[in-house]
mmCIF file of all heavy atoms in Angstrom:
data_model
loop_
_atom_site.group_PDB
_atom_site.id
_atom_site.type_symbol
_atom_site.label_atom_id
_atom_site.label_comp_id
_atom_site.label_asym_id
_atom_site.label_seq_id
_atom_site.Cartn_x
_atom_site.Cartn_y
_atom_site.Cartn_z
ATOM 1 N N ASP A 146 -0.024 4.544 2.177
ATOM 2 C CA ASP A 146 0.573 3.308 1.664
ATOM 3 C C ASP A 146 0.296 3.169 0.170
ATOM 4 O O ASP A 146 -0.816 2.824 -0.235
ATOM 5 C CB ASP A 146 0.002 2.119 2.439
ATOM 6 C CG ASP A 146 0.708 0.817 2.114
ATOM 7 O OD1 ASP A 146 1.745 0.859 1.430
ATOM 8 O OD2 ASP A 146 0.213 -0.246 2.549
ATOM 9 N N ILE A 147 1.306 3.413 -0.652
ATOM 10 C CA ILE A 147 1.152 3.383 -2.110
ATOM 11 C C ILE A 147 1.552 2.012 -2.637
ATOM 12 O O ILE A 147 2.699 1.597 -2.487
ATOM 13 C CB ILE A 147 2.009 4.478 -2.783
ATOM 14 C CG1 ILE A 147 1.785 5.830 -2.112
ATOM 15 C CG2 ILE A 147 1.692 4.526 -4.266
ATOM 16 C CD1 ILE A 147 0.363 6.321 -2.139
ATOM 17 N N HIS A 148 0.585 1.332 -3.287
ATOM 18 C CA HIS A 148 0.861 0.000 -3.821
ATOM 19 C C HIS A 148 1.243 0.008 -5.298
ATOM 20 O O HIS A 148 2.072 -0.783 -5.731
ATOM 21 C CB HIS A 148 -0.367 -0.894 -3.625
ATOM 22 C CG HIS A 148 -0.505 -1.432 -2.245
ATOM 23 N ND1 HIS A 148 -1.232 -2.558 -1.936
ATOM 24 C CD2 HIS A 148 0.006 -0.995 -1.062
ATOM 25 C CE1 HIS A 148 -1.163 -2.791 -0.637
ATOM 26 N NE2 HIS A 148 -0.426 -1.853 -0.086
ATOM 27 N N VAL A 149 0.611 0.869 -6.074
ATOM 28 C CA VAL A 149 0.867 0.848 -7.519
ATOM 29 C C VAL A 149 0.668 2.248 -8.091
ATOM 30 O O VAL A 149 -0.210 3.000 -7.664
ATOM 31 C CB VAL A 149 -0.064 -0.164 -8.234
ATOM 32 C CG1 VAL A 149 -1.528 0.182 -8.010
ATOM 33 C CG2 VAL A 149 0.245 -0.264 -9.720
ATOM 34 N N LEU A 150 1.525 2.614 -9.057
ATOM 35 C CA LEU A 150 1.386 3.837 -9.841
ATOM 36 C C LEU A 150 1.220 3.458 -11.299
ATOM 37 O O LEU A 150 1.920 2.567 -11.798
ATOM 38 C CB LEU A 150 2.615 4.736 -9.679
ATOM 39 C CG LEU A 150 2.896 5.283 -8.285
ATOM 40 C CD1 LEU A 150 4.206 6.078 -8.297
ATOM 41 C CD2 LEU A 150 1.753 6.156 -7.798
ATOM 42 N N PHE A 151 0.310 4.137 -11.997
ATOM 43 C CA PHE A 151 0.066 3.818 -13.405
ATOM 44 C C PHE A 151 -0.213 5.115 -14.157
ATOM 45 O O PHE A 151 -0.966 5.969 -13.683
ATOM 46 C CB PHE A 151 -1.131 2.869 -13.533
ATOM 47 C CG PHE A 151 -1.474 2.510 -14.949
ATOM 48 C CD1 PHE A 151 -0.744 1.554 -15.629
ATOM 49 C CD2 PHE A 151 -2.515 3.143 -15.614
ATOM 50 C CE1 PHE A 151 -1.052 1.220 -16.948
ATOM 51 C CE2 PHE A 151 -2.830 2.822 -16.925
ATOM 52 C CZ PHE A 151 -2.101 1.851 -17.592
ATOM 53 N N VAL A 152 0.402 5.268 -15.338
ATOM 54 C CA VAL A 152 0.168 6.424 -16.191
ATOM 55 C C VAL A 152 -0.530 5.959 -17.463
ATOM 56 O O VAL A 152 -0.019 5.094 -18.179
ATOM 57 C CB VAL A 152 1.499 7.133 -16.536
ATOM 58 C CG1 VAL A 152 1.248 8.295 -17.483
ATOM 59 C CG2 VAL A 152 2.185 7.616 -15.272
ATOM 60 N N ASP A 153 -1.719 6.521 -17.743
ATOM 61 C CA ASP A 153 -2.480 6.084 -18.914
ATOM 62 C C ASP A 153 -1.988 6.786 -20.177
ATOM 63 O O ASP A 153 -1.044 7.583 -20.147
ATOM 64 C CB ASP A 153 -3.985 6.294 -18.691
ATOM 65 C CG ASP A 153 -4.367 7.766 -18.529
ATOM 66 O OD1 ASP A 153 -3.635 8.650 -19.026
ATOM 67 O OD2 ASP A 153 -5.421 8.032 -17.915
ATOM 68 N N MET A 154 -2.632 6.493 -21.297
ATOM 69 C CA MET A 154 -2.184 7.017 -22.584
ATOM 70 C C MET A 154 -2.343 8.533 -22.682
ATOM 71 O O MET A 154 -1.738 9.168 -23.551
ATOM 72 C CB MET A 154 -2.956 6.348 -23.726
ATOM 73 C CG MET A 154 -4.442 6.613 -23.723
ATOM 74 S SD MET A 154 -5.287 5.867 -25.159
ATOM 75 C CE MET A 154 -4.905 4.138 -24.910
ATOM 76 N N ARG A 155 -3.116 9.120 -21.801
ATOM 77 C CA ARG A 155 -3.264 10.575 -21.778
ATOM 78 C C ARG A 155 -2.185 11.243 -20.935
ATOM 79 O O ARG A 155 -2.123 12.466 -20.867
ATOM 80 C CB ARG A 155 -4.640 10.939 -21.226
ATOM 81 C CG ARG A 155 -5.807 10.361 -22.017
ATOM 82 C CD ARG A 155 -7.118 10.624 -21.292
ATOM 83 N NE ARG A 155 -8.241 10.002 -21.957
ATOM 84 C CZ ARG A 155 -8.594 8.736 -21.825
ATOM 85 N NH1 ARG A 155 -7.886 7.940 -21.014
ATOM 86 N NH2 ARG A 155 -9.615 8.240 -22.474
ATOM 87 N N GLY A 156 -1.382 10.422 -20.248
ATOM 88 C CA GLY A 156 -0.347 10.955 -19.383
ATOM 89 C C GLY A 156 -0.809 11.210 -17.970
ATOM 90 O O GLY A 156 -0.083 11.797 -17.166
ATOM 91 N N THR A 157 -2.038 10.757 -17.642
ATOM 92 C CA THR A 157 -2.597 10.960 -16.310
ATOM 93 C C THR A 157 -2.067 9.918 -15.333
ATOM 94 O O THR A 157 -1.984 8.738 -15.663
ATOM 95 C CB THR A 157 -4.138 10.866 -16.354
ATOM 96 O OG1 THR A 157 -4.632 11.855 -17.260
ATOM 97 C CG2 THR A 157 -4.747 11.091 -14.982
ATOM 98 N N LEU A 158 -1.751 10.357 -14.126
ATOM 99 C CA LEU A 158 -1.241 9.474 -13.093
ATOM 100 C C LEU A 158 -2.381 8.924 -12.249
ATOM 101 O O LEU A 158 -3.226 9.672 -11.759
ATOM 102 C CB LEU A 158 -0.259 10.223 -12.191
ATOM 103 C CG LEU A 158 0.290 9.438 -10.997
ATOM 104 C CD1 LEU A 158 1.295 8.391 -11.469
ATOM 105 C CD2 LEU A 158 0.925 10.373 -9.974
ATOM 106 N N TRP A 159 -2.379 7.584 -12.053
ATOM 107 C CA TRP A 159 -3.335 6.900 -11.190
ATOM 108 C C TRP A 159 -2.564 6.248 -10.053
ATOM 109 O O TRP A 159 -1.483 5.690 -10.262
ATOM 110 C CB TRP A 159 -4.109 5.853 -11.978
ATOM 111 C CG TRP A 159 -4.954 6.429 -13.077
ATOM 112 C CD1 TRP A 159 -4.537 6.739 -14.346
ATOM 113 C CD2 TRP A 159 -6.334 6.784 -13.012
ATOM 114 N NE1 TRP A 159 -5.578 7.253 -15.078
ATOM 115 C CE2 TRP A 159 -6.701 7.297 -14.288
ATOM 116 C CE3 TRP A 159 -7.302 6.710 -12.009
ATOM 117 C CZ2 TRP A 159 -7.998 7.727 -14.568
ATOM 118 C CZ3 TRP A 159 -8.590 7.141 -12.289
ATOM 119 C CH2 TRP A 159 -8.927 7.650 -13.551
ATOM 120 N N VAL A 160 -3.152 6.305 -8.858
ATOM 121 C CA VAL A 160 -2.475 5.824 -7.659
ATOM 122 C C VAL A 160 -3.350 4.791 -6.950
ATOM 123 O O VAL A 160 -4.472 5.103 -6.543
ATOM 124 C CB VAL A 160 -2.171 6.992 -6.688
ATOM 125 C CG1 VAL A 160 -1.372 6.486 -5.490
ATOM 126 C CG2 VAL A 160 -1.436 8.118 -7.410
ATOM 127 N N GLY A 161 -2.827 3.581 -6.808
ATOM 128 C CA GLY A 161 -3.518 2.548 -6.048
ATOM 129 C C GLY A 161 -2.933 2.458 -4.654
ATOM 130 O O GLY A 161 -1.717 2.341 -4.487
ATOM 131 N N THR A 162 -3.789 2.528 -3.648
ATOM 132 C CA THR A 162 -3.313 2.578 -2.266
ATOM 133 C C THR A 162 -3.686 1.316 -1.488
ATOM 134 O O THR A 162 -4.469 0.496 -1.948
ATOM 135 C CB THR A 162 -3.890 3.804 -1.538
ATOM 136 O OG1 THR A 162 -5.293 3.586 -1.289
ATOM 137 C CG2 THR A 162 -3.714 5.060 -2.367
ATOM 138 N N GLY A 163 -3.119 1.212 -0.284
ATOM 139 C CA GLY A 163 -3.353 0.038 0.534
ATOM 140 C C GLY A 163 -4.663 0.056 1.287
ATOM 141 O O GLY A 163 -5.252 -0.997 1.543
ATOM 142 N N ALA A 164 -5.151 1.245 1.647
ATOM 143 C CA ALA A 164 -6.377 1.307 2.441
ATOM 144 C C ALA A 164 -7.281 2.470 2.061
ATOM 145 O O ALA A 164 -8.286 2.705 2.736
ATOM 146 C CB ALA A 164 -6.027 1.414 3.929
ATOM 147 N N GLY A 165 -6.959 3.167 0.968
ATOM 148 C CA GLY A 165 -7.753 4.329 0.579
ATOM 149 C C GLY A 165 -8.342 4.254 -0.806
ATOM 150 O O GLY A 165 -8.866 5.243 -1.319
ATOM 151 N N GLY A 166 -8.251 3.093 -1.444
ATOM 152 C CA GLY A 166 -8.808 2.953 -2.783
ATOM 153 C C GLY A 166 -7.907 3.501 -3.867
ATOM 154 O O GLY A 166 -6.675 3.446 -3.774
ATOM 155 N N LEU A 167 -8.535 4.090 -4.888
ATOM 156 C CA LEU A 167 -7.846 4.592 -6.069
ATOM 157 C C LEU A 167 -7.889 6.113 -6.090
ATOM 158 O O LEU A 167 -8.877 6.723 -5.684
ATOM 159 C CB LEU A 167 -8.520 4.038 -7.331
ATOM 160 C CG LEU A 167 -7.994 4.505 -8.686
ATOM 161 C CD1 LEU A 167 -6.594 3.967 -8.945
ATOM 162 C CD2 LEU A 167 -8.951 4.058 -9.800
ATOM 163 N N ALA A 168 -6.805 6.726 -6.584
ATOM 164 C CA ALA A 168 -6.766 8.182 -6.710
ATOM 165 C C ALA A 168 -6.233 8.566 -8.082
ATOM 166 O O ALA A 168 -5.348 7.904 -8.627
ATOM 167 C CB ALA A 168 -5.896 8.801 -5.623
ATOM 168 N N ARG A 169 -6.806 9.632 -8.637
ATOM 169 C CA ARG A 169 -6.334 10.184 -9.916
ATOM 170 C C ARG A 169 -5.756 11.574 -9.658
ATOM 171 O O ARG A 169 -6.392 12.418 -9.017
ATOM 172 C CB ARG A 169 -7.484 10.280 -10.910
ATOM 173 C CG ARG A 169 -7.124 11.008 -12.213
ATOM 174 C CD ARG A 169 -8.277 10.996 -13.202
ATOM 175 N NE ARG A 169 -9.500 11.551 -12.664
ATOM 176 C CZ ARG A 169 -9.797 12.857 -12.623
ATOM 177 N NH1 ARG A 169 -8.914 13.757 -13.070
ATOM 178 N NH2 ARG A 169 -10.953 13.279 -12.127
ATOM 179 N N TYR A 170 -4.549 11.803 -10.168
ATOM 180 C CA TYR A 170 -3.914 13.105 -9.956
ATOM 181 C C TYR A 170 -4.424 14.107 -10.977
ATOM 182 O O TYR A 170 -4.368 13.870 -12.193
ATOM 183 C CB TYR A 170 -2.403 12.980 -10.062
ATOM 184 C CG TYR A 170 -1.674 14.294 -9.887
ATOM 185 C CD1 TYR A 170 -1.729 14.972 -8.672
ATOM 186 C CD2 TYR A 170 -0.944 14.846 -10.931
ATOM 187 C CE1 TYR A 170 -1.070 16.182 -8.505
ATOM 188 C CE2 TYR A 170 -0.276 16.054 -10.773
ATOM 189 C CZ TYR A 170 -0.341 16.716 -9.560
ATOM 190 O OH TYR A 170 0.308 17.915 -9.398
ATOM 191 N N ASP A 171 -4.926 15.237 -10.498
ATOM 192 C CA ASP A 171 -5.376 16.342 -11.333
ATOM 193 C C ASP A 171 -4.246 17.363 -11.397
ATOM 194 O O ASP A 171 -4.022 18.128 -10.444
ATOM 195 C CB ASP A 171 -6.637 16.970 -10.727
ATOM 196 C CG ASP A 171 -7.241 18.062 -11.606
ATOM 197 O OD1 ASP A 171 -6.519 18.603 -12.480
ATOM 198 O OD2 ASP A 171 -8.426 18.381 -11.423
ATOM 199 N N ALA A 172 -3.538 17.373 -12.511
ATOM 200 C CA ALA A 172 -2.358 18.231 -12.634
ATOM 201 C C ALA A 172 -2.713 19.714 -12.597
ATOM 202 O O ALA A 172 -1.952 20.528 -12.067
ATOM 203 C CB ALA A 172 -1.609 17.901 -13.920
ATOM 204 N N GLU A 173 -3.858 20.095 -13.141
ATOM 205 C CA GLU A 173 -4.239 21.507 -13.173
ATOM 206 C C GLU A 173 -4.523 22.046 -11.774
ATOM 207 O O GLU A 173 -4.218 23.202 -11.472
ATOM 208 C CB GLU A 173 -5.459 21.699 -14.075
ATOM 209 C CG GLU A 173 -5.190 21.416 -15.544
ATOM 210 C CD GLU A 173 -6.394 21.718 -16.414
ATOM 211 O OE1 GLU A 173 -7.437 22.136 -15.852
ATOM 212 O OE2 GLU A 173 -6.295 21.547 -17.639
ATOM 213 N N GLN A 174 -5.122 21.206 -10.925
ATOM 214 C CA GLN A 174 -5.452 21.635 -9.567
ATOM 215 C C GLN A 174 -4.406 21.193 -8.549
ATOM 216 O O GLN A 174 -4.499 21.574 -7.376
ATOM 217 C CB GLN A 174 -6.824 21.074 -9.174
ATOM 218 C CG GLN A 174 -7.959 21.477 -10.085
ATOM 219 C CD GLN A 174 -8.205 22.969 -10.085
ATOM 220 O OE1 GLN A 174 -8.074 23.633 -9.050
ATOM 221 N NE2 GLN A 174 -8.564 23.520 -11.235
ATOM 222 N N ASP A 175 -3.449 20.395 -8.993
ATOM 223 C CA ASP A 175 -2.444 19.823 -8.093
ATOM 224 C C ASP A 175 -3.127 19.135 -6.913
ATOM 225 O O ASP A 175 -2.796 19.360 -5.742
ATOM 226 C CB ASP A 175 -1.489 20.898 -7.593
ATOM 227 C CG ASP A 175 -0.273 20.300 -6.870
ATOM 228 O OD1 ASP A 175 0.126 19.176 -7.212
ATOM 229 O OD2 ASP A 175 0.256 20.973 -5.959
ATOM 230 N N SER A 176 -4.102 18.282 -7.242
ATOM 231 C CA SER A 176 -4.872 17.597 -6.207
ATOM 232 C C SER A 176 -5.252 16.209 -6.702
ATOM 233 O O SER A 176 -4.962 15.835 -7.848
ATOM 234 C CB SER A 176 -6.132 18.395 -5.859
ATOM 235 O OG SER A 176 -6.989 18.489 -6.986
ATOM 236 N N PHE A 177 -5.920 15.441 -5.860
ATOM 237 C CA PHE A 177 -6.282 14.069 -6.185
ATOM 238 C C PHE A 177 -7.794 13.858 -6.113
ATOM 239 O O PHE A 177 -8.454 14.365 -5.204
ATOM 240 C CB PHE A 177 -5.586 13.095 -5.233
ATOM 241 C CG PHE A 177 -4.094 13.081 -5.363
ATOM 242 C CD1 PHE A 177 -3.310 13.963 -4.637
ATOM 243 C CD2 PHE A 177 -3.469 12.195 -6.231
ATOM 244 C CE1 PHE A 177 -1.928 13.964 -4.759
ATOM 245 C CE2 PHE A 177 -2.092 12.193 -6.373
ATOM 246 C CZ PHE A 177 -1.321 13.080 -5.631
#
């Protein structure tokens, strides 16, 4: 359940979820 997506000034994607907290996308590893 994805509630919010945010991209910071570095271009990094942050994901706010409904029941799993916060996640940061690591583009080099293609993981969170």
Side-chain angles (χ1 to χ4, degrees):
D146 188 9
I147 311 301
H148 281 202
V149 59
L150 297 176
F151 179 79
V152 177
D153 64 25
M154 63 177 60
R155 301 173 184 82
T157 301
L158 176 73
W159 297 85
V160 184
T162 72
L167 177 68
R169 173 176 56 83
Y170 179 64
D171 185 340
E173 294 184 359
Q174 302 297 324
D175 191 29
S176 63
F177 295 88

